Amino acid sequence: MVYARLATLEAARALARYRLRSTLAALGVAVAVATVVWVAAIGQAAIDASLSQLDALGDNLIWSPDYAAIKKWDVSAGEFFGGDDVEHARTVIVIGQTVKTSLFGDDPAVGEPLRIGGSWFTVIGVLAAKGQSPTGNDQDDVVMMPWTTAMRRILGTSQTWLDDIVCSAASPEDMAIATGQIVSMLRERHHIRVDGDDDFNVRKPQDLLEARVSTSRTLRLLMVVLAALALFVGGVGIMNVMLASVAQRTREIGVRMAIGARAGAIRVQFLGEAAQIAIAGATVGLAIGELGRGWVERAIGWPMHADATTGAIAAIATLAMGVTFGFYPALRASSLDPIAALRDDR
């Protein structure tokens, strides 16, 4: 009971006597905690943004009236062309939102004629907006038509080969199997010998985004390390404040020891002071982190969600840091020679 009073009430009274110094130490801790909260939120927002782009590509994509379904591309108006359009090479097109806005503004585009090269086409559908690709290209600046139509009307009759084929696996788990089957079939169709090199490439766009997600996670880890260093600096600040307090209160400590205070009681009070600075700093830091989250979100343009777990971990780590960095000053205070301390004239 006595030790609890020393760690709480008496520690609070001691800190109140040196308000400015205690406030500055707590402010350093608050900045460190707010940094941890923001860093974790920014890192998670970056990962979420990359995963969102990965999902937009289609989770089974390997890289064709099935193109829209494979690429997870919805139609906001009209419809996508079908197998019959491909078979008969009909002059129909589907356009992206950027093309629609540039050519038709707010007017409906479905059913309108559009000339490409020397041929006229009919707009039968408008794609839903997708935004930028992982490489920064505008995915909505696109015009799609049956490949048979493109070969006959745009590329010319001499064009008898395809540049890309887009395929989809039955599920994400079947990606490796599907890729192997595609490679085997193409090698067989291209009459490639067993020891020969492929004359084609099988590309998976997720690889780019997964690398981006990995990079985001690495960056997040780096930022967390930097935030941990900020916490460390805050801990050093607490230790410096407590050491200065021990030096300034040497005579007070000597008096308490002379009238019977034990070394353990001295340690408990100084540890209580360090812990209270850490708790106050963590509380203010969490508030700053939450209040500033909206500003950071507007600055980076990514949605940032509050993470109670990160806040709790930051608060616990800060308390542990305060006790850890406060231990040496507390030990130093409890180790003073009472006679020498009473002679101190500070």
Side-chain angles (χ1 to χ4, degrees):
M1 187 67 179
V2 176
Y3 281 1
R5 178 185 175 86
L6 287 170
T8 55
L9 184 59
E10 295 300 327
R13 287 175 177 174
L15 292 175
R17 289 199 300 268
Y18 306 98
R19 291 186 182 89
L20 180 59
R21 190 165 58 197
S22 303
T23 300
L24 290 176
L27 183 59
V29 175
V31 172
V33 172
T35 301
V36 171
V37 173
W38 289 341
V39 160
I42 292 172
Q44 188 59 51
I47 292 174
D48 291 343
S50 294
L51 289 176
S52 177
Q53 290 178 337
L54 176 60
D55 183 67
L57 281 176
D59 51 11
N60 307 337
L61 191 63
I62 289 181
W63 164 47
S64 289
D66 296 325
Y67 180 82
I70 292 175
K71 295 280 284 186
K72 290 189 174 180
W73 214 321
D74 297 326
V75 177
S76 62
E79 61 184 6
F80 207 82
F81 47 81
D84 192 59
D85 297 315
V86 174
E87 182 178 354
H88 294 88
R90 292 197 172 96
T91 53
V92 293
I93 57 173
V94 176
I95 61 177
Q97 285 289 338
T98 299
V99 177
K100 188 266 180 189
T101 302
S102 299
L103 298 180
F104 301 100
D106 296 330
D107 297 331
V110 176
E112 295 296 319
L114 190 63
R115 190 175 71 176
I116 301 177
S119 301
W120 285 93
F121 295 80
T122 301
V123 179
I124 63 170
V126 178
L127 298 168
K130 261 205 171 186
Q132 288 188 334
S133 70
T135 56
N137 296 323
D138 183 4
Q139 297 184 91
D140 301 318
D141 188 11
V142 63
V143 174
M144 299 182 188
M145 66 181 67
W147 66 270
T148 49
T149 305
M151 293 178 70
R152 296 180 185 180
R153 299 275 184 170
I154 305 298
L155 302 176
T157 55
S158 61
Q159 185 74 27
T160 59
W161 51 271
L162 297 175
D163 183 63
D164 285 293
I165 300 176
V166 180
C167 305
S168 177
S171 68
E173 292 75 20
D174 294 330
M175 283 282 292
I177 297 175
T179 300
Q181 292 174 342
I182 291 172
V183 170
S184 298
M185 182 187 70
L186 288 176
R187 288 181 62 86
E188 179 183 350
R189 297 287 178 87
H190 291 194
H191 306 291
I192 299 174
R193 298 186 307 179
V194 176
D195 58 347
D197 295 329
D198 295 339
D199 59 359
F200 56 87
N201 293 313
V202 178
R203 297 173 294 168
K204 293 179 285 187
Q206 309 97 303
D207 292 344
L208 175 62
L209 282 179
E210 286 170 358
R212 185 173 176 180
V213 169
S214 178
T215 301
S216 297
R217 287 176 177 153
T218 302
L219 178 60
R220 181 185 182 185
L221 178 60
L222 176 61
M223 295 173 74
V224 168
V225 170
L226 293 177
L229 289 176
L231 278 178
F232 178 81
V233 172
V236 172
I238 290 178
M239 185 171 66
N240 288 335
V241 166
M242 296 308 299
L243 286 174
S245 180
V246 171
Q248 190 170 1
R249 295 157 60 187
T250 299
R251 188 175 180 82
E252 172 195 329
I253 296 169
V255 171
R256 293 180 60 184
M257 286 183 162
I259 61 176
R262 296 180 179 180
I266 301 296
R267 282 196 298 270
V268 167
Q269 179 175 338
F270 276 86
L271 282 174
E273 293 177 24
Q276 288 192 33
I277 291 175
I279 291 172
T283 302
V284 175
L286 291 175
I288 293 174
E290 180 60 27
L291 292 174
R293 186 167 54 84
W295 179 83
V296 176
E297 182 176 292
R298 290 191 295 272
I300 66 176
W302 289 334
M304 294 174 58
H305 306 288
D307 188 351
T309 302
T310 300
I313 292 174
I316 294 172
T318 303
L319 178 59
M321 174 203 66
V323 173
T324 300
F325 281 90
F327 182 77
Y328 175 67
L331 180 63
R332 184 169 179 176
S334 64
S335 303
L336 290 175
D337 183 347
I339 297 176
L342 285 171
R343 292 174 178 171
D344 190 88
D345 56 359
R346 280 177 290 184

mmCIF file of all heavy atoms in Angstrom, residues 207-243:
data_model
loop_
_atom_site.group_PDB
_atom_site.id
_atom_site.type_symbol
_atom_site.label_atom_id
_atom_site.label_comp_id
_atom_site.label_asym_id
_atom_site.label_seq_id
_atom_site.Cartn_x
_atom_site.Cartn_y
_atom_site.Cartn_z
ATOM 1 N N ASP A 207 2.316 -10.506 -60.312
ATOM 2 C CA ASP A 207 3.703 -10.523 -59.845
ATOM 3 C C ASP A 207 4.199 -9.108 -59.566
ATOM 4 O O ASP A 207 4.914 -8.867 -58.597
ATOM 5 C CB ASP A 207 4.602 -11.196 -60.890
ATOM 6 C CG ASP A 207 4.309 -12.684 -61.013
ATOM 7 O OD1 ASP A 207 3.649 -13.238 -60.106
ATOM 8 O OD2 ASP A 207 4.741 -13.278 -62.010
ATOM 9 N N LEU A 208 3.801 -8.185 -60.446
ATOM 10 C CA LEU A 208 4.214 -6.796 -60.272
ATOM 11 C C LEU A 208 3.628 -6.210 -58.995
ATOM 12 O O LEU A 208 4.319 -5.580 -58.203
ATOM 13 C CB LEU A 208 3.772 -5.974 -61.484
ATOM 14 C CG LEU A 208 4.023 -4.468 -61.409
ATOM 15 C CD1 LEU A 208 5.512 -4.176 -61.310
ATOM 16 C CD2 LEU A 208 3.402 -3.768 -62.610
ATOM 17 N N LEU A 209 2.314 -6.453 -58.805
ATOM 18 C CA LEU A 209 1.668 -5.892 -57.627
ATOM 19 C C LEU A 209 2.110 -6.589 -56.340
ATOM 20 O O LEU A 209 2.229 -5.967 -55.294
ATOM 21 C CB LEU A 209 0.149 -5.985 -57.772
ATOM 22 C CG LEU A 209 -0.474 -4.923 -58.677
ATOM 23 C CD1 LEU A 209 -1.977 -5.118 -58.760
ATOM 24 C CD2 LEU A 209 -0.161 -3.536 -58.175
ATOM 25 N N GLU A 210 2.325 -7.899 -56.429
ATOM 26 C CA GLU A 210 2.788 -8.602 -55.230
ATOM 27 C C GLU A 210 4.169 -8.095 -54.825
ATOM 28 O O GLU A 210 4.480 -7.986 -53.639
ATOM 29 C CB GLU A 210 2.808 -10.102 -55.491
ATOM 30 C CG GLU A 210 1.399 -10.709 -55.507
ATOM 31 C CD GLU A 210 1.389 -12.147 -55.992
ATOM 32 O OE1 GLU A 210 2.486 -12.643 -56.355
ATOM 33 O OE2 GLU A 210 0.322 -12.762 -56.009
ATOM 34 N N ALA A 211 4.990 -7.786 -55.825
ATOM 35 C CA ALA A 211 6.291 -7.186 -55.507
ATOM 36 C C ALA A 211 6.094 -5.813 -54.884
ATOM 37 O O ALA A 211 6.811 -5.417 -53.965
ATOM 38 C CB ALA A 211 7.135 -7.072 -56.777
ATOM 39 N N ARG A 212 5.078 -5.112 -55.384
ATOM 40 C CA ARG A 212 4.787 -3.790 -54.826
ATOM 41 C C ARG A 212 4.300 -3.912 -53.384
ATOM 42 O O ARG A 212 4.665 -3.117 -52.518
ATOM 43 C CB ARG A 212 3.734 -3.109 -55.691
ATOM 44 C CG ARG A 212 3.432 -1.683 -55.285
ATOM 45 C CD ARG A 212 2.505 -1.052 -56.305
ATOM 46 N NE ARG A 212 2.111 0.287 -55.904
ATOM 47 C CZ ARG A 212 1.306 1.053 -56.605
ATOM 48 N NH1 ARG A 212 0.849 0.627 -57.773
ATOM 49 N NH2 ARG A 212 0.968 2.249 -56.181
ATOM 50 N N VAL A 213 3.447 -4.922 -53.127
ATOM 51 C CA VAL A 213 2.977 -5.156 -51.761
ATOM 52 C C VAL A 213 4.148 -5.497 -50.855
ATOM 53 O O VAL A 213 4.251 -5.013 -49.724
ATOM 54 C CB VAL A 213 1.925 -6.287 -51.741
ATOM 55 C CG1 VAL A 213 1.628 -6.713 -50.306
ATOM 56 C CG2 VAL A 213 0.645 -5.834 -52.429
ATOM 57 N N SER A 214 5.051 -6.360 -51.371
ATOM 58 C CA SER A 214 6.229 -6.717 -50.587
ATOM 59 C C SER A 214 7.079 -5.497 -50.285
ATOM 60 O O SER A 214 7.584 -5.320 -49.170
ATOM 61 C CB SER A 214 7.053 -7.763 -51.345
ATOM 62 O OG SER A 214 8.224 -8.095 -50.633
ATOM 63 N N THR A 215 7.220 -4.626 -51.307
ATOM 64 C CA THR A 215 7.979 -3.398 -51.087
ATOM 65 C C THR A 215 7.302 -2.510 -50.056
ATOM 66 O O THR A 215 7.957 -1.904 -49.207
ATOM 67 C CB THR A 215 8.126 -2.630 -52.416
ATOM 68 O OG1 THR A 215 8.790 -3.471 -53.370
ATOM 69 C CG2 THR A 215 8.920 -1.360 -52.227
ATOM 70 N N SER A 216 5.958 -2.442 -50.120
ATOM 71 C CA SER A 216 5.212 -1.639 -49.150
ATOM 72 C C SER A 216 5.424 -2.165 -47.743
ATOM 73 O O SER A 216 5.570 -1.401 -46.787
ATOM 74 C CB SER A 216 3.722 -1.641 -49.496
ATOM 75 O OG SER A 216 3.491 -1.038 -50.753
ATOM 76 N N ARG A 217 5.440 -3.499 -47.619
ATOM 77 C CA ARG A 217 5.647 -4.090 -46.296
ATOM 78 C C ARG A 217 7.061 -3.816 -45.791
ATOM 79 O O ARG A 217 7.267 -3.543 -44.612
ATOM 80 C CB ARG A 217 5.396 -5.595 -46.363
ATOM 81 C CG ARG A 217 3.907 -5.929 -46.485
ATOM 82 C CD ARG A 217 3.675 -7.398 -46.650
ATOM 83 N NE ARG A 217 2.246 -7.700 -46.685
ATOM 84 C CZ ARG A 217 1.706 -8.735 -47.304
ATOM 85 N NH1 ARG A 217 2.504 -9.587 -47.947
ATOM 86 N NH2 ARG A 217 0.418 -8.942 -47.276
ATOM 87 N N THR A 218 8.015 -3.880 -46.707
ATOM 88 C CA THR A 218 9.390 -3.560 -46.316
ATOM 89 C C THR A 218 9.507 -2.107 -45.883
ATOM 90 O O THR A 218 10.148 -1.792 -44.881
ATOM 91 C CB THR A 218 10.353 -3.832 -47.490
ATOM 92 O OG1 THR A 218 10.236 -5.199 -47.890
ATOM 93 C CG2 THR A 218 11.786 -3.544 -47.096
ATOM 94 N N LEU A 219 8.846 -1.228 -46.658
ATOM 95 C CA LEU A 219 8.856 0.186 -46.300
ATOM 96 C C LEU A 219 8.169 0.411 -44.961
ATOM 97 O O LEU A 219 8.634 1.201 -44.134
ATOM 98 C CB LEU A 219 8.152 0.998 -47.391
ATOM 99 C CG LEU A 219 8.036 2.509 -47.149
ATOM 100 C CD1 LEU A 219 9.419 3.131 -47.024
ATOM 101 C CD2 LEU A 219 7.246 3.172 -48.275
ATOM 102 N N ARG A 220 7.087 -0.324 -44.743
ATOM 103 C CA ARG A 220 6.384 -0.200 -43.468
ATOM 104 C C ARG A 220 7.278 -0.633 -42.314
ATOM 105 O O ARG A 220 7.323 0.020 -41.270
ATOM 106 C CB ARG A 220 5.117 -1.049 -43.493
ATOM 107 C CG ARG A 220 4.292 -0.971 -42.212
ATOM 108 C CD ARG A 220 3.122 -1.921 -42.280
ATOM 109 N NE ARG A 220 2.298 -1.834 -41.093
ATOM 110 C CZ ARG A 220 1.266 -2.625 -40.852
ATOM 111 N NH1 ARG A 220 0.931 -3.547 -41.728
ATOM 112 N NH2 ARG A 220 0.559 -2.504 -39.746
ATOM 113 N N LEU A 221 8.009 -1.731 -42.521
ATOM 114 C CA LEU A 221 8.922 -2.200 -41.482
ATOM 115 C C LEU A 221 9.997 -1.154 -41.205
ATOM 116 O O LEU A 221 10.338 -0.892 -40.037
ATOM 117 C CB LEU A 221 9.564 -3.518 -41.913
ATOM 118 C CG LEU A 221 10.591 -4.129 -40.946
ATOM 119 C CD1 LEU A 221 9.947 -4.419 -39.600
ATOM 120 C CD2 LEU A 221 11.201 -5.391 -41.541
ATOM 121 N N LEU A 222 10.514 -0.559 -42.280
ATOM 122 C CA LEU A 222 11.529 0.479 -42.115
ATOM 123 C C LEU A 222 10.972 1.665 -41.336
ATOM 124 O O LEU A 222 11.632 2.203 -40.435
ATOM 125 C CB LEU A 222 12.022 0.940 -43.486
ATOM 126 C CG LEU A 222 13.026 2.118 -43.494
ATOM 127 C CD1 LEU A 222 14.293 1.742 -42.730
ATOM 128 C CD2 LEU A 222 13.358 2.522 -44.922
ATOM 129 N N MET A 223 9.753 2.047 -41.666
ATOM 130 C CA MET A 223 9.141 3.176 -40.976
ATOM 131 C C MET A 223 8.879 2.853 -39.507
ATOM 132 O O MET A 223 9.014 3.715 -38.627
ATOM 133 C CB MET A 223 7.845 3.569 -41.686
ATOM 134 C CG MET A 223 8.053 4.094 -43.101
ATOM 135 S SD MET A 223 6.517 4.375 -44.011
ATOM 136 C CE MET A 223 5.917 5.846 -43.211
ATOM 137 N N VAL A 224 8.490 1.599 -39.241
ATOM 138 C CA VAL A 224 8.279 1.194 -37.849
ATOM 139 C C VAL A 224 9.594 1.244 -37.080
ATOM 140 O O VAL A 224 9.631 1.643 -35.908
ATOM 141 C CB VAL A 224 7.656 -0.219 -37.788
ATOM 142 C CG1 VAL A 224 7.709 -0.770 -36.365
ATOM 143 C CG2 VAL A 224 6.221 -0.179 -38.282
ATOM 144 N N VAL A 225 10.684 0.831 -37.742
ATOM 145 C CA VAL A 225 11.991 0.910 -37.094
ATOM 146 C C VAL A 225 12.329 2.360 -36.763
ATOM 147 O O VAL A 225 12.828 2.664 -35.668
ATOM 148 C CB VAL A 225 13.077 0.282 -37.997
ATOM 149 C CG1 VAL A 225 14.473 0.577 -37.455
ATOM 150 C CG2 VAL A 225 12.876 -1.222 -38.105
ATOM 151 N N LEU A 226 12.044 3.257 -37.715
ATOM 152 C CA LEU A 226 12.299 4.672 -37.459
ATOM 153 C C LEU A 226 11.433 5.184 -36.310
ATOM 154 O O LEU A 226 11.886 5.974 -35.477
ATOM 155 C CB LEU A 226 12.019 5.486 -38.728
ATOM 156 C CG LEU A 226 12.968 5.223 -39.906
ATOM 157 C CD1 LEU A 226 12.531 6.027 -41.126
ATOM 158 C CD2 LEU A 226 14.404 5.569 -39.535
ATOM 159 N N ALA A 227 10.173 4.697 -36.270
ATOM 160 C CA ALA A 227 9.298 5.094 -35.171
ATOM 161 C C ALA A 227 9.813 4.555 -33.844
ATOM 162 O O ALA A 227 9.732 5.227 -32.806
ATOM 163 C CB ALA A 227 7.878 4.589 -35.432
ATOM 164 N N ALA A 228 10.350 3.322 -33.876
ATOM 165 C CA ALA A 228 10.921 2.745 -32.657
ATOM 166 C C ALA A 228 12.120 3.570 -32.187
ATOM 167 O O ALA A 228 12.326 3.761 -30.977
ATOM 168 C CB ALA A 228 11.342 1.297 -32.911
ATOM 169 N N LEU A 229 12.898 4.071 -33.148
ATOM 170 C CA LEU A 229 14.013 4.947 -32.784
ATOM 171 C C LEU A 229 13.503 6.231 -32.135
ATOM 172 O O LEU A 229 14.119 6.764 -31.208
ATOM 173 C CB LEU A 229 14.845 5.276 -34.032
ATOM 174 C CG LEU A 229 15.675 4.127 -34.598
ATOM 175 C CD1 LEU A 229 16.382 4.563 -35.881
ATOM 176 C CD2 LEU A 229 16.706 3.642 -33.578
ATOM 177 N N ALA A 230 12.354 6.724 -32.642
ATOM 178 C CA ALA A 230 11.753 7.914 -32.034
ATOM 179 C C ALA A 230 11.343 7.615 -30.593
ATOM 180 O O ALA A 230 11.532 8.449 -29.690
ATOM 181 C CB ALA A 230 10.546 8.370 -32.854
ATOM 182 N N LEU A 231 10.790 6.415 -30.363
ATOM 183 C CA LEU A 231 10.456 6.011 -29.001
ATOM 184 C C LEU A 231 11.706 5.930 -28.137
ATOM 185 O O LEU A 231 11.702 6.320 -26.964
ATOM 186 C CB LEU A 231 9.745 4.659 -29.011
ATOM 187 C CG LEU A 231 8.243 4.654 -29.307
ATOM 188 C CD1 LEU A 231 7.717 3.226 -29.318
ATOM 189 C CD2 LEU A 231 7.481 5.481 -28.287
ATOM 190 N N PHE A 232 12.773 5.410 -28.731
ATOM 191 C CA PHE A 232 14.032 5.300 -27.993
ATOM 192 C C PHE A 232 14.524 6.690 -27.567
ATOM 193 O O PHE A 232 14.957 6.887 -26.427
ATOM 194 C CB PHE A 232 15.082 4.605 -28.859
ATOM 195 C CG PHE A 232 16.429 4.478 -28.219
ATOM 196 C CD1 PHE A 232 16.687 3.468 -27.306
ATOM 197 C CD2 PHE A 232 17.450 5.370 -28.518
ATOM 198 C CE1 PHE A 232 17.930 3.351 -26.702
ATOM 199 C CE2 PHE A 232 18.692 5.268 -27.926
ATOM 200 C CZ PHE A 232 18.932 4.245 -27.013
ATOM 201 N N VAL A 233 14.429 7.636 -28.505
ATOM 202 C CA VAL A 233 14.840 9.006 -28.187
ATOM 203 C C VAL A 233 13.968 9.573 -27.066
ATOM 204 O O VAL A 233 14.455 10.252 -26.154
ATOM 205 C CB VAL A 233 14.764 9.900 -29.440
ATOM 206 C CG1 VAL A 233 15.002 11.359 -29.077
ATOM 207 C CG2 VAL A 233 15.793 9.441 -30.477
ATOM 208 N N GLY A 234 12.658 9.270 -27.129
ATOM 209 C CA GLY A 234 11.774 9.703 -26.061
ATOM 210 C C GLY A 234 12.162 9.092 -24.726
ATOM 211 O O GLY A 234 12.109 9.758 -23.680
ATOM 212 N N GLY A 235 12.582 7.819 -24.755
ATOM 213 C CA GLY A 235 13.034 7.161 -23.535
ATOM 214 C C GLY A 235 14.297 7.796 -22.978
ATOM 215 O O GLY A 235 14.436 7.965 -21.751
ATOM 216 N N VAL A 236 15.209 8.149 -23.864
ATOM 217 C CA VAL A 236 16.434 8.834 -23.425
ATOM 218 C C VAL A 236 16.082 10.169 -22.789
ATOM 219 O O VAL A 236 16.693 10.580 -21.784
ATOM 220 C CB VAL A 236 17.393 9.031 -24.618
ATOM 221 C CG1 VAL A 236 18.572 9.909 -24.228
ATOM 222 C CG2 VAL A 236 17.893 7.678 -25.126
ATOM 223 N N GLY A 237 15.071 10.842 -23.356
ATOM 224 C CA GLY A 237 14.625 12.101 -22.772
ATOM 225 C C GLY A 237 14.111 11.912 -21.355
ATOM 226 O O GLY A 237 14.406 12.720 -20.457
ATOM 227 N N ILE A 238 13.342 10.838 -21.145
ATOM 228 C CA ILE A 238 12.849 10.537 -19.794
ATOM 229 C C ILE A 238 14.019 10.287 -18.848
ATOM 230 O O ILE A 238 14.043 10.794 -17.719
ATOM 231 C CB ILE A 238 11.910 9.311 -19.828
ATOM 232 C CG1 ILE A 238 10.604 9.664 -20.537
ATOM 233 C CG2 ILE A 238 11.617 8.822 -18.410
ATOM 234 C CD1 ILE A 238 9.634 8.506 -20.660
ATOM 235 N N MET A 239 14.991 9.523 -19.311
ATOM 236 C CA MET A 239 16.134 9.211 -18.457
ATOM 237 C C MET A 239 16.908 10.479 -18.096
ATOM 238 O O MET A 239 17.306 10.661 -16.935
ATOM 239 C CB MET A 239 17.067 8.218 -19.163
ATOM 240 C CG MET A 239 18.230 7.757 -18.285
ATOM 241 S SD MET A 239 19.174 6.410 -19.022
ATOM 242 C CE MET A 239 19.880 7.239 -20.432
ATOM 243 N N ASN A 240 17.095 11.358 -19.059
ATOM 244 C CA ASN A 240 17.812 12.605 -18.775
ATOM 245 C C ASN A 240 17.059 13.462 -17.766
ATOM 246 O O ASN A 240 17.655 14.059 -16.860
ATOM 247 C CB ASN A 240 18.036 13.390 -20.068
ATOM 248 C CG ASN A 240 19.078 12.748 -20.959
ATOM 249 O OD1 ASN A 240 19.943 12.024 -20.482
ATOM 250 N ND2 ASN A 240 19.002 13.002 -22.258
ATOM 251 N N VAL A 241 15.736 13.544 -17.937
ATOM 252 C CA VAL A 241 14.929 14.322 -17.003
ATOM 253 C C VAL A 241 15.007 13.732 -15.602
ATOM 254 O O VAL A 241 15.149 14.458 -14.604
ATOM 255 C CB VAL A 241 13.463 14.387 -17.484
ATOM 256 C CG1 VAL A 241 12.544 14.886 -16.371
ATOM 257 C CG2 VAL A 241 13.347 15.290 -18.700
ATOM 258 N N MET A 242 14.948 12.418 -15.525
ATOM 259 C CA MET A 242 14.993 11.771 -14.211
ATOM 260 C C MET A 242 16.364 11.912 -13.564
ATOM 261 O O MET A 242 16.484 12.091 -12.350
ATOM 262 C CB MET A 242 14.614 10.291 -14.344
ATOM 263 C CG MET A 242 13.180 10.053 -14.821
ATOM 264 S SD MET A 242 11.949 10.950 -13.860
ATOM 265 C CE MET A 242 12.231 10.251 -12.239
ATOM 266 N N LEU A 243 17.431 11.835 -14.368
ATOM 267 C CA LEU A 243 18.780 12.035 -13.817
ATOM 268 C C LEU A 243 18.938 13.463 -13.299
ATOM 269 O O LEU A 243 19.541 13.684 -12.233
ATOM 270 C CB LEU A 243 19.830 11.732 -14.893
ATOM 271 C CG LEU A 243 20.050 10.254 -15.217
ATOM 272 C CD1 LEU A 243 20.998 10.107 -16.401
ATOM 273 C CD2 LEU A 243 20.604 9.500 -14.006
#
